[in-house]
Amino acid sequence: MTDSELIGKLANNLRIVRSRIESACVRSGRPIDGVTLVAVTKYASSRIANMLLDAGAEDLGESRPQELWRKSAELPSYARWHLIGHLQRNKVDRTLPLVTMIHSVDSPRLIEAMGSAAANLSRPVDVLLEVNLSGEAAKTGMRPEMLDEMKKL
C-alpha cells in the first residue's frame, strides 16, 4: 500500500468514527463541539502518526511520556498531544510543555508537581483525574476520598 493509499484509508476511518460520534451526540442531545476525537498512536511509528495528521486527525494520544517526547519532536508542531498513560513526577517538566491534556492524573502529589511546572507555561494544560472506584490494588488511580484533598489544590 502506498503512503497516499494509507492516508486515504486513515481519512476514511476518521470519517466513519466522526460520523459515529456525531450520531451518538444527536441521540444524547450533546453538542458535537464538546467531543474531542483523540487518535492514539501507541505502537504506531512517527511516520504513521504523521499520516494521521495528513488524514485530518488533530489530536494525538500517546501512553508513554518518552514516546510522546520522541514523536512530538518528529511531527509538525500543530499536533495537539494528549498523554493518556501514567505520568511520573520526574517527567512532568519535560511533558507538560508538549501536551494539551493529561488523561491520567492519579495523585495530589502529581497535581502539585504539575502546578509548579505549569507556572512556567503561558497556557493551561487540562487534566482528567483518574479515580480507582473499585479499590482493586491492580488498578491505578487515587482513592475516592482523596478527591476532597484535590479540591484544595
Side-chain angles (χ1 to χ4, degrees):
M1 183 178 293
T2 67
D3 284 1
S4 62
E5 289 171 331
L6 184 53
I7 291 169
K9 185 172 178 64
L10 291 169
N12 187 57
N13 288 347
L14 284 169
R15 276 192 296 279
I16 291 168
V17 171
R18 285 185 177 125
S19 175
R20 293 178 66 193
I21 291 170
E22 186 173 344
S23 294
C25 286
V26 168
R27 284 192 311 275
S28 68
R30 182 175 180 171
I32 186 73
D33 61 356
V35 176
T36 301
L37 172 61
V38 179
V40 177
T41 63
K42 184 177 181 178
Y43 303 123
S45 67
S46 294
R47 179 178 156 263
I48 298 297
N50 195 50
M51 286 182 188
L52 272 167
L53 293 172
D54 290 343
E58 298 169 340
D59 291 77
L60 301 177
E62 188 56 57
S63 61
R64 296 185 318 234
Q66 295 91 328
E67 278 299 297
L68 189 147
W69 302 340
R70 185 181 65 75
K71 288 177 183 170
S72 69
E74 295 174 359
L75 271 61
S77 62
Y78 61 82
R80 290 191 304 248
W81 286 99
H82 296 243
L83 180 67
I84 60 172
H86 181 70
L87 178 62
Q88 296 169 317
R89 289 188 320 274
N90 65 338
K91 295 180 175 121
V92 166
D93 287 338
R94 188 162 176 195
T95 303
L96 224 54
L98 304 174
V99 298
T100 299
M101 180 180 282
I102 298 178
H103 292 236
S104 52
V105 175
D106 61 359
S107 74
R109 290 176 64 199
L110 179 56
I111 279 285
E112 288 172 347
M114 290 173 62
S116 297
N120 299 325
L121 296 177
S122 59
R123 61 174 178 77
V125 174
D126 292 328
V127 301
L128 298 174
L129 299 178
E130 184 175 1
V131 181
N132 182 347
L133 294 175
S134 70
E136 294 176 51
K139 306 242 181 206
T140 59
M142 66 184 85
R143 296 182 318 277
E145 59 270 15
M146 295 173 81
L147 290 173
D148 285 335
E149 186 178 339
M150 297 297 283
K151 291 178 189 175
K152 298 173 189 172
L153 299 175

